[in-house]
Amino acid sequence: MINREYIEYNNIINLDIKAIYGSPHKKQNLKAIVDEERFKELLLAIENYNGNIFTKVALQISPYLFLRSANIRNLEWSEIDFKNSKITIPANKMKGGEDFIIPLSGSVVKLFEFIKPFSFHHSKYVFPSDISKSKTMSENTLNQAIKRLGFGEEMVFHGFRTTASTLLYEFKNLHRQDSEFIELCLDHRERNKVKATYNRSLRLNDRKFLMQWWSDYIDQLKGIP
């Protein structure tokens, strides 16, 4: 309009769009420990945590499973299959909207068996709220516990997923599993229905092997024979 001389001045072109709407959103990198020695220190600190028993065991289990916070906090006893050593999280709880199966190592099963008497007869949740057994653990509980352990500047709960992903890729020469299986363990799946079914079923043995390798790796860092 200006260059055709219909108007002499246009206020719009001089507006500070950033000042009005803010800068474009930048994806924030969540804090995560990816150094092996520091990860070991975190694992040992969790073992010595002296706070709430549900918080402690949730923190003990989470490095093995690297699930999202909501999946850990909302985990129900009915979703754990002790006989077949696996968890099946229903589609309505998963970010991708599909059932997700997680193979369990012996170390993880032992932790679930340890915590079971504390909540099984009082709550459907594995890690209930300390205030009411009918409610789940609050969203900030696990992050606050990590802070109390002295790792708040380096780690948030979601960082367990980044830690596992980073180290599993770093040690591919040891476990010899393809990237596909690492991504499947993180629930980064092909959302095509046919392929999703294939990944969920036929690839379970491969994921079981990788999850067991990861469990053994963590046990080794913690000095568990």
Side-chain angles (χ1 to χ4, degrees):
M1 291 291 188
I2 293 176
N3 64 346
R4 294 186 181 183
E5 299 183 349
Y6 293 155
I7 58 176
E8 293 183 357
Y9 186 75
N10 185 352
N11 286 321
I12 294 177
I13 64 174
N14 292 306
L15 289 176
D16 188 343
I17 301 300
K18 289 185 178 181
I20 297 173
Y21 295 104
S23 300
H25 176 70
K26 293 182 179 180
K27 186 175 181 180
Q28 184 177 8
N29 291 324
L30 295 173
K31 291 180 285 189
I33 292 173
V34 294
D35 174 75
E36 182 182 64
E37 188 58 34
R38 193 59 174 155
F39 182 44
K40 175 180 178 179
E41 292 172 3
L42 173 59
L43 293 173
L44 294 177
I46 290 172
E47 292 299 306
N48 293 314
Y49 182 76
N50 59 6
N52 179 274
I53 188 65
F54 295 117
T55 303
K56 177 174 181 174
V57 177
L59 286 176
Q60 286 177 305
I61 285 176
S62 294
Y64 290 98
L65 303 181
F66 41 90
L67 289 169
R68 297 177 179 90
S69 173
N71 295 136
I72 283 289
R73 291 183 295 103
N74 293 299
L75 185 64
E76 299 181 28
W77 285 113
S78 61
E79 296 163 357
I80 303 176
D81 182 348
F82 283 94
K83 182 179 179 180
N84 296 299
S85 298
K86 66 179 181 179
I87 293 173
T88 301
I89 300 179
N92 65 333
K93 286 187 175 183
M94 293 304 300
K95 186 176 181 179
E98 298 169 5
D99 289 354
F100 186 45
I101 299 174
I102 307 106
L104 302 178
S105 69
S107 295
V108 177
V109 170
K110 286 180 181 177
L111 286 168
F112 279 128
E113 288 176 339
F114 169 78
I115 199 64
K116 191 173 182 179
F118 294 89
S119 65
F120 181 72
H121 297 293
H122 310 286
S123 177
K124 67 177 183 178
Y125 298 112
V126 178
F127 305 112
S129 166
D130 194 37
I131 299 173
S132 172
K133 295 297 184 291
S134 64
K135 297 181 180 180
T136 64
M137 182 182 290
S138 72
E139 185 174 358
N140 293 323
T141 297
L142 297 173
N143 279 329
Q144 288 300 319
I146 291 172
K147 288 181 180 179
R148 286 196 294 273
L149 288 171
F151 293 82
E153 296 297 318
E154 307 164 76
M155 186 75 168
V156 293
F157 182 82
H158 193 84
F160 283 123
R161 290 172 59 78
T162 301
T163 301
S165 176
T166 301
L167 294 178
L168 283 170
Y169 272 102
E170 183 175 335
F171 297 132
K172 280 178 67 176
N173 63 315
L174 298 179
H175 59 70
R176 299 185 182 279
Q177 294 296 295
D178 293 338
S179 301
E180 177 185 6
F181 303 127
I182 297 175
E183 298 304 319
L184 285 173
C185 288
L186 290 160
D187 189 39
H188 295 160
R189 292 180 282 170
E190 172 63 58
R191 297 304 170 189
N192 173 282
K193 288 186 177 180
V194 175
K195 289 184 178 180
T197 300
Y198 175 66
N199 286 339
R200 190 167 58 246
S201 57
L202 297 184
R203 301 303 176 93
L204 189 58
N205 285 336
D206 296 296
R207 287 194 284 134
K208 182 178 181 179
F209 174 87
L210 186 57
M211 294 296 284
Q212 183 61 57
W213 185 92
W214 177 248
S215 177
D216 293 341
Y217 169 72
I218 288 178
D219 287 346
Q220 183 178 16
L221 288 181
K222 293 197 294 184
I224 298 176

